[in-house]
Amino acid sequence: MIYTPHAAKEWAEFLHKPGDKYYDFSKVREEIELDTDRICGRNKDISSAVIYIKIFSARVVDLTLIDLPGSTKVPTGDQPTDIEHKINNLQMQYIAPQSSIIMAICPANNDIANADALKIARRVDPMGERTVGVLTKTDLMDEGTNCLDIVRGKVYPLKLGFTPVVCRS
């Protein structure tokens, strides 16, 4: 993301499409899907090839985000049999450097003790000093439960804490 103070409207640019500006972010999503299929095929494989997107806006700070695939335990369809190993290696490549901040996405409607993202983060950040937790699906938690103890750091302490979110859909 690139802070552009005088931009009247946000836009995105792809490295593989120099000069093209995307003002419609649904088209950005489509281009990501097309490029992912081009790189990985349609069999839900993964690749270490990077899709570079720059987002220009007056409402962002200069920041590089890397969206990694989530953990997969069992290959489905025609995924390669070593998909779990491939994803794990790719995740470690990006989260191991001490300069990386790890965003561990965890569903709030599951026991935090079973969160794969926290388990992976703990391998390279055992003290939780550079991991931020994001609790999704807070709206889907069982009646009578909440995630306040997690957010307050009483269940699984992280120096950067947990942020609960509710997705738009």
Side-chain angles (χ1 to χ4, degrees), residues 30-87:
E30 288 174 18
E31 183 58 35
I32 292 169
E33 290 171 1
L34 287 170
D35 208 37
T36 300
D37 286 348
R38 182 185 61 77
I39 293 169
C40 297
R42 293 182 181 259
N43 66 347
K44 297 185 180 180
D45 196 0
I46 65 157
S47 170
S48 60
V50 178
I51 299 173
Y52 289 97
I53 307 166
K54 291 182 180 180
I55 302 198
F56 299 84
S57 174
R59 301 184 310 161
V60 299
V61 295
D62 290 341
L63 183 66
T64 299
L65 297 171
I66 301 166
D67 184 17
L68 296 170
S71 298
T72 297
K73 302 286 184 224
V74 178
T76 59
D78 55 356
Q79 283 183 322
T81 57
D82 64 342
I83 191 76
E84 180 181 14
H85 180 71
K86 288 169 81 172
I87 290 173

Side-chain angles (χ1 to χ4, degrees), residues 102-108 112 118 131-138 147-153 156 158-167:
I102 304 163
M103 185 182 301
I105 313 295
C106 309
I112 199 78
L118 292 174
T131 300
V132 60
V134 177
L135 293 172
T136 64
K137 302 180 181 178
T138 55
C147 57
L148 290 177
D149 284 344
I150 297 170
V151 172
R152 291 177 179 147
Y156 192 95
L158 294 175
K159 182 179 178 187
L160 302 176
F162 281 89
T163 300
V165 297
V166 176
C167 294

Side-chain angles (χ1 to χ4, degrees), residues 63-66 68 90-104 121 124-125 128-132 160:
L63 183 66
T64 299
L65 297 171
I66 301 166
L68 296 170
L90 188 60
Q91 290 169 337
M92 286 298 155
Q93 175 185 340
Y94 285 98
I95 70 170
Q98 291 296 308
S99 59
S100 294
I101 295 174
I102 304 163
M103 185 182 301
V124 295
D125 183 28
E129 295 175 349
R130 56 189 184 90
T131 300
V132 60
L160 302 176

